[in-house]
């Protein structure tokens, strides 16, 4: 026999109403800051933007992004977010370094060396779209549309753009990648 | 998923099962957990490795990798043998209890110890404590990363059901439910298949077998791949054979932020935006709050928001009417989210909001309702019986222990040549292979290391800091040795996500298999059920040998 008392449905409803915030309304209580400390200095920023982190991490932290001169100066956990309560993790805190990294892929690149060599030349976006468009058309003619497949996972686990790619791939008739790791 | 804010306030005992909380999800499974412990809740950790969270546990059970189902069945049997099960709950809410009991009865404490390596007295103590307290189980993916992972998860859930620890504040079994994103919050079908368009059903490719599908699909073969928001080469099992397959494609396009293994093998590389340079929505798969993502700064360099890329490609391929040129991310979001979604409340400068309870109740199953064919907790999964009629696989409807594919028990012959079972952790400094290249992270992590038990190290003349070669028939990987009792004898640990071009990649050593009940052949399917067919990959299920390099 179990020795643990069970809550009745009514008690559970009361508990949720008492302990959990209401649905559908903003839980922000503080107004967004205009200054922050940065390398031991107080800095006035151009704006603070509230957003969230979608790094395939179920915390999905609320984030305050401090922006100055068009750059992401600093990130901080949203203190009003009930899960991360003002904190982030080390990955989240690296974002100013990541976003502005000089090592980023900066423009479209077309392979010039062997596969695996990592040799490329720069293209404009226009040229890149032309290149891809030609290949997609040729692929569909030669093999049929299902010879195209998308490989996507949770590198950025955000859902919106996946639906837009899904729309394109449905219209094109590509194979559909499903499942999960 | 029972909300952390609820269980942490009400539970008396938490079992973290296969969950390296200090590596992922720290705010719920560390911060809220510690608040529960400060209130007096006990912590039990089930993990073969001494993770940081395990070092905080009152009791740490260290089963041999992939024997979790045996451990859970042994606990069930002990609980029932003492009459500590919740009969009333079992009668009212479960289906198939007798069959479960017949399976569990085989798991005496002695046999449980023999298979799992966990001392019988500890199994008994934890089982009794679990049954007699208001208890939570927080499941990670650890025990699911084997070919028998679905059976392990089924056995753990059965343990909770037998004790009635479900649907009560502070008593539930949380696992990786996919969350509100799949529960109807997002109208994906409408966006992906726009009204009025001619869309024919196309074949499905199982992502766990993407490498194999690239090699073996016919009519047509896979000839072009557009790869984005995911890593194919670094992160796929049997990475070398993925590279072979990639070389045979007509084209591989990568949309990425940094150059690495995948871009090296790509024909066209396009600069991707980060999450702070574009619109987005990410409902968590473990909590109930939502903050919409708005662009924070302009796209850096020539990077392009993902939405803009796909919409422009669509227009260029002749689908202009489905990709209006003036559509912003917000316009697309309005198509994706329900018509009554409170945008203003959930979006900068406001937010987050708690999502409506119809998408994610903070105490799921509180009303005793279960979304199964029988309306009960199916200790005998009737949906598996139906699936078994249509698809090959191991559709055993009742939890049981089957030795995993590549383990000493599952493949003794291979284990004679490769006696060490290699498992991986996700370090808290990375999302798989991401972040590894950043100076901050490099400084924290240092060069890649693999953990090895002192006995195994001594037998091979390996010392702390030695350069070692880890190998099997598939590949080899070179790293530094970390000799430590944090791993069990006959096991090793090497973090996932190390880039092949930088060395220390574990995925090259892993076989190309799927976990889960359904046998999906070479990965090309006509039909697939995300929940029933299984959707993990046995990333920890591999045998290796190691030597000084
Ligand atoms: S900041 Fe870290 S803990 Fe928070 S959601 Fe992002 S990855 Fe997860």
């Amino acid at each position: 026999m179990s020795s643990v008392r069970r809550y009745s449905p009514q008690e559970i409803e009361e508990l949720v109403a008492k302990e959990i915030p209401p649905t559908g309304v903003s839980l922000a209580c503080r107004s967004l800051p205009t200054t922050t400390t940065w390398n031991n200095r107080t800095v006035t920023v151009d704006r603070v933007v509230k957003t969230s982190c979608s790094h395939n991490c179920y915390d999905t932290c609320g984030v305050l992004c401090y922006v100055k001169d068009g750059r992401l100066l600093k990130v901080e956990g949203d203190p009003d977010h009930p899960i991360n309560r003002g904190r982030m993790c080390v990955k989240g805190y690296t974002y100013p370094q990541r976003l502005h990294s000089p090592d980023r892929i900066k423009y479209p690149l077309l392979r010039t060396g062997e596969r695996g060599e990592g040799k490329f030349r720069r293209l404009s976006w226009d040229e890149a779209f032309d290149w891809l468009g030609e290949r997609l058309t040729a692929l569909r003619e030669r093999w049929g549309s299902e010879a195209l497949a998308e490989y996507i996972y949770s590198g950025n686990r955000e859902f919106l753009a996946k639906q837009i790619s899904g729309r394109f791939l449905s219209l094109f008739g590509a194979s559909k990648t499903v499942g999960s790791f | 998923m029972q909300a952390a804010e609820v269980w942490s306030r009400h539970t008396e005992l938490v079992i973290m099962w296969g969950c390296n909380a200090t590596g992922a999800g720290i705010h719920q499974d560390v911060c809220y957990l510690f608040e529960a412990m400060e209130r007096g809740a006990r912590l039990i950790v089930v993990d073969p490795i001494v993770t940081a969270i395990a070092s905080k546990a009152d009791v740490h059970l260290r089963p041999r990798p992939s024997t979790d189902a045996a451990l859970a069945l042994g606990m069930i049997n002990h609980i029932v043998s003492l009459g500590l099960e919740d009969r009333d709950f079992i009668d009212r809410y479960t289906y198939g209890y007798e069959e479960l009991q017949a399976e569990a009865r085989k798991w005496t404490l002695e046999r449980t110890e023999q298979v799992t390596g966990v001392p019988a007295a500890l199994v008994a103590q934890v089982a009794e404590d679990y049954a007699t307290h208001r208890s939570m189980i927080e499941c990670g993916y650890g025990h699911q990363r084997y070919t028998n992972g679905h059976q392990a998860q089924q056995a753990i859930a059965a343990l909770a059901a037998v004790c009635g620890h479900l649907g009560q504040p502070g008593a539930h079994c949380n696992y990786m439910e996919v969350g509100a994103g799949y529960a109807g919050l997002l109208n994906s079908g409408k966006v992906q298949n726009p009204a009025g368009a001619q869309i024919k059903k196309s074949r499905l490719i199982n992502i766990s077998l993407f490498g194999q599908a690239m090699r073996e699909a016919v009519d047509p073969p896979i000839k072009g791949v557009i790869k984005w928001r995911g890593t194919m080469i670094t992160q796929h099992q049997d990475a070398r054979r993925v590279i072979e397959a990639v070389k045979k494609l007509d084209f591989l396009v990568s949309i990425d932020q940094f150059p690495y293994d995948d871009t090296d093998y790509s024909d066209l590389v396009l600069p991707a935006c980060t999450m702070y340079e574009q619109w987005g929505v990410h409902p968590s798969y473990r909590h109930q709050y939502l903050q919409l993502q708005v662009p924070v700064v302009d796209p850096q360099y020539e990077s392009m928001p993902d939405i803009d890329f796909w919409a422009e490609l669509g227009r260029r391929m002749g689908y202009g009417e489905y990709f209006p040129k003036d559509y912003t991310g917000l316009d697309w979001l309005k198509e994706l989210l329900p018509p009554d979604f409170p945008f203003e409340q959930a979006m900068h400068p406001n937010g987050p909001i708690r999502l409506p309870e119809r998408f994610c109740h903070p105490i799921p199953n509180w009303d005793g309702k279960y979304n199964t064919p029988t309306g009960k907790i199916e200790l005998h999964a009737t949906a598996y019986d139906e699936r078994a009629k249509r698809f090959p696989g191991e559709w055993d409807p009742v939890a049981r222990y089957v030795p995993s594919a590549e383990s000493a028990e599952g493949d003794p012959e291979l284990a004679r040549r490769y006696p060490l079972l290699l498992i991986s952790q996700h370090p808290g400094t990375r999302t798989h292979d991401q972040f590894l290249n950043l100076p901050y992270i490099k400084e924290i992590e240092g060069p890649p290391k693999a953990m090895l038990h002192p006995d195994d190290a001594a037998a091979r003349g390996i010392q702390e800091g030695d350069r070692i070669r880890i190998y099997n028939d598939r590949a080899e990987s070179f790293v530094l040795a970390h000799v430590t009792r944090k791993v069990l004898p006959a096991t090793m640990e090497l973090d996932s996500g190390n880039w092949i071009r930088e060395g220390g990649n574990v995925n090259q050593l892993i076989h190309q298999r799927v976990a889960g009940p359904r046998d999906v052949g070479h990965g090309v399917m006509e039909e697939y059920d995300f929940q029933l067919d299984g959707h993990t990959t046995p990333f920890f299920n591999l045998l290796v040998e190691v030597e000084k390099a």
Side-chain angles (χ1 to χ4, degrees):
Chain A
M1 256 345 266
S2 173
S3 52
V4 181
R5 189 184 79 82
R6 291 191 82 75
Y7 287 61
S8 69
Q10 195 199 334
E11 281 176 298
I12 291 180
E13 278 179 331
E14 283 167 15
L15 181 149
V16 169
K18 197 170 117 219
E19 298 187 6
I20 303 289
T23 62
V25 294
S26 170
L27 303 176
C29 0
R30 302 162 179 84
S31 50
L32 293 174
T34 51
T35 62
T36 187
T37 52
W38 190 73
N39 288 346
N40 296 323
R41 282 189 292 127
T42 301
V43 178
T44 304
V45 293
D46 298 335
R47 60 181 187 277
V48 172
V49 181
K50 190 186 275 216
T51 183
S52 61
C53 175
S54 50
H55 258 291
N56 188 10
C57 164
Y58 46 76
D59 281 342
T60 312
C61 293
V63 184
L64 301 185
C65 291
Y66 292 83
V67 181
K68 192 171 169 61
D69 302 327
R71 289 175 70 87
L72 179 64
L73 183 77
K74 172 175 168 174
V75 290
E76 206 169 56
D78 175 4
D80 292 336
H81 194 287
I83 295 300
N84 63 304
R85 298 177 288 183
R87 295 176 285 235
M88 293 180 79
C89 76
V90 64
K91 293 167 277 188
Y93 287 128
T94 65
Y95 248 85
Q97 192 176 66
R98 174 173 175 150
L99 194 142
H100 296 294
S101 168
D103 300 334
R104 272 183 73 168
I105 296 165
K106 301 189 180 71
Y107 31 74
L109 294 164
L110 187 68
R111 178 168 66 84
T112 53
E114 290 299 310
R115 280 183 166 138
E117 264 191 331
K119 288 193 187 143
F120 297 92
R121 75 179 167 86
R122 180 175 182 171
L123 292 186
S124 69
W125 267 106
D126 218 33
E127 290 170 316
F129 276 117
D130 284 346
W131 185 94
L132 182 54
E134 278 165 31
R135 260 126 205 105
L136 288 172
T137 306
L139 171 136
R140 187 165 52 191
E141 274 163 20
R142 168 96 168 77
W143 302 103
S145 60
E146 285 184 324
L148 177 69
E150 168 196 46
Y151 186 95
I152 179 172
Y153 208 60
S154 56
N156 175 357
R157 197 175 169 273
E158 186 281 308
F159 280 77
L160 176 63
K162 290 179 197 179
Q163 318 309 328
I164 316 300
S165 80
R167 175 176 287 211
F168 172 80
L169 295 159
S170 313
L171 291 163
F172 185 84
S175 295
K176 203 165 170 227
T177 304
V178 296
S180 160
F181 287 120
Chain B
M1 189 62 54
Q2 185 170 126
E5 319 88 276
V6 174
W7 65 253
S8 63
R9 275 191 214 124
H10 297 275
T11 193
E12 296 169 344
L13 182 148
V14 182
I15 302 185
M16 301 281 290
W17 201 310
C19 184
N20 179 10
T22 26
I26 51 173
H27 300 106
Q28 293 169 79
D29 285 336
V30 179
C31 298
Y32 274 109
L33 172 72
F34 283 3
E35 286 172 24
M37 291 168 75
E38 280 162 15
R39 264 196 320 98
R42 289 162 57 75
L43 173 65
I44 316 292
V45 168
V46 182
D47 197 316
I49 298 181
V50 185
T51 60
I53 200 74
S55 72
K56 306 285 182 200
D58 294 287
V59 183
H60 180 192
L61 305 184
R62 302 180 71 186
R64 289 189 188 104
S66 79
T67 63
D68 301 74
L71 180 60
L73 289 167
M75 286 170 70
I76 292 172
N77 187 45
H78 184 67
I79 287 164
V80 174
S81 73
L82 296 181
L84 295 174
E85 79 277 23
D86 188 336
R87 275 282 11 157
D88 185 43
F89 185 88
I90 292 168
D91 291 345
R92 285 172 62 175
Y93 297 115
T94 72
Y95 173 84
Y97 175 68
E98 302 307 324
E99 288 170 77
L100 172 74
Q101 220 198 334
E103 196 56 46
R105 221 175 276 130
K106 302 173 188 164
W107 291 92
T108 60
L109 289 175
E110 293 66 39
R111 182 168 174 223
T112 306
E113 171 170 336
Q114 221 174 30
V115 170
T116 64
V118 180
L122 271 188
V123 178
Q125 184 205 324
V126 169
E128 289 166 38
D129 285 352
Y130 174 75
T132 54
H133 290 81
R134 179 174 294 282
S135 299
M136 268 308 286
I137 303 179
E138 278 281 286
C139 291
Y141 267 145
H143 51 277
Q144 300 185 47
R145 297 289 195 209
Y146 307 93
T147 52
N148 62 7
H150 57 295
Q151 286 145 336
Q153 189 59 48
Q154 208 180 353
I156 295 165
L159 168 64
V162 164
C163 297
H165 292 335
L166 288 170
Q168 285 282 297
H172 199 57
C173 177
N174 277 346
Y175 63 101
M176 295 292 181
E177 282 167 272
V178 280
Y182 294 88
L185 174 72
L186 306 179
N187 198 343
S188 304
K190 182 179 125 203
V191 181
Q192 295 201 15
N193 305 306
Q198 294 277 326
I199 292 177
K200 64 174 182 17
K201 195 175 174 307
S202 47
R203 66 177 175 183
L204 310 176
I205 310 289
N206 188 311
I207 195 161
S208 296
L209 294 174
F210 201 87
Q212 198 171 346
M214 277 196 295
R215 291 191 296 274
E216 296 172 17
V218 288
D219 295 333
I222 295 174
K223 282 292 172 185
V225 174
I226 303 179
K227 187 206 76 76
W228 63 301
R229 293 190 174 185
T231 299
M232 192 158 74
I233 293 171
T234 323
Q235 287 296 114
H236 230 276
Q237 323 96 299
D238 209 353
R240 289 190 166 191
R241 298 189 65 213
V242 175
I243 292 175
E244 277 169 35
V246 162
K247 287 184 172 170
K248 296 206 184 94
L249 294 175
D250 283 355
F251 63 89
L252 172 63
V253 178
S254 278
I255 311 174
D256 267 305
Q257 291 162 21
F258 292 98
Y260 67 127
D261 297 324
D262 280 20
T263 56
D264 279 355
Y265 287 91
S266 300
D267 301 285
L268 182 66
V269 179
L270 300 171
C273 281
T274 68
M275 61 186 178
Y276 293 145
E277 299 161 273
Q278 54 188 333
W279 289 91
V281 58
H282 185 241
S284 164
Y285 46 109
R286 219 161 178 147
H287 71 63
Q288 42 175 346
Y289 303 97
L290 185 70
Q291 174 77 50
L292 293 178
Q293 296 178 300
V294 296
V296 174
V297 291
D298 290 338
Q300 298 296 295
Y301 308 110
E302 288 185 23
S303 65
M304 186 179 285
D306 297 317
I307 293 171
D308 295 9
F309 167 78
W310 289 102
E312 178 62 19
L313 188 63
R315 287 190 289 270
R316 289 189 180 230
M317 294 302 291
Y319 313 121
E321 61 181 300
Y322 301 109
F323 297 100
K325 218 176 157 67
D326 53 354
Y327 247 42
T328 64
L330 185 57
D331 294 320
W332 286 114
L333 270 177
K334 287 187 171 156
E335 291 206 13
L336 182 60
L337 286 158
D340 60 348
F341 185 83
F343 278 89
E344 218 172 284
Q345 299 291 314
M347 203 167 80
H348 170 87
N350 296 320
I353 59 163
R354 175 156 82 89
L355 288 169
E357 284 171 10
R358 68 180 191 276
F359 301 122
C360 43
H361 196 281
I363 306 178
N365 309 117
W366 65 283
D367 50 6
K369 295 200 177 109
Y370 294 89
N371 184 18
T372 62
T374 57
K376 296 191 169 197
I377 299 163
E378 296 198 343
L379 301 172
H380 172 127
T382 58
Y384 273 23
D385 297 334
E386 290 308 308
R387 242 25 214 165
K389 292 179 195 155
R390 305 182 47 209
F391 300 105
E394 199 171 52
W395 298 102
D396 207 308
V398 180
R400 67 186 180 116
Y401 171 70
V402 179
S404 67
E406 235 181 89
S407 61
E409 227 187 320
D411 193 344
E413 204 197 312
L414 189 68
R416 269 192 289 281
R417 277 191 295 147
Y418 300 116
L420 305 169
L421 202 148
L422 176 63
I423 62 183
S424 309
Q425 297 190 94
H426 293 161
T429 39
R430 284 192 241 153
T431 306
H432 303 286
D433 59 316
Q434 293 187 70
F435 296 98
L436 184 63
N437 59 320
L438 299 180
Y440 289 152
I441 299 299
K442 278 199 150 130
E443 187 182 327
I444 296 169
E445 283 198 16
K449 293 176 206 72
M451 293 202 265
L452 177 67
H453 190 272
D455 295 350
D456 296 318
R460 293 163 179 81
I462 294 169
Q463 292 185 348
E464 176 72 18
D466 281 351
R467 198 172 130 80
I468 52 174
R469 171 177 175 257
I470 306 170
Y471 63 98
N472 58 19
D473 286 342
R474 289 177 285 268
E476 59 184 6
S477 216
F478 293 88
V479 289
L480 302 184
H482 178 35
V483 179
T484 172
R485 290 180 195 281
K486 283 184 185 169
V487 287
L488 293 166
T491 63
M492 285 188 72
E493 190 280 337
L494 173 58
D495 288 351
S496 78
N498 293 325
W499 297 4
I500 295 171
R501 54 143 97 156
E502 314 256 314
N505 177 274
V506 68
N507 289 49
Q508 308 169 89
L509 297 157
I510 305 173
H511 54 76
Q512 173 92 66
R513 281 196 186 99
V514 282
R518 180 168 161 196
D519 176 357
V520 290
H522 59 205
V524 180
M525 308 174 296
E526 291 302 317
E527 193 203 313
Y528 176 72
D529 187 306
F530 187 72
Q531 301 285 3
L532 295 174
D533 292 350
H535 53 274
T536 64
T537 302
F539 282 115
F540 299 176
N541 214 171
L542 63 149
L543 291 166
V544 297
E545 179 53 291
V546 62
E547 64 185 16
K548 229 168 132 162

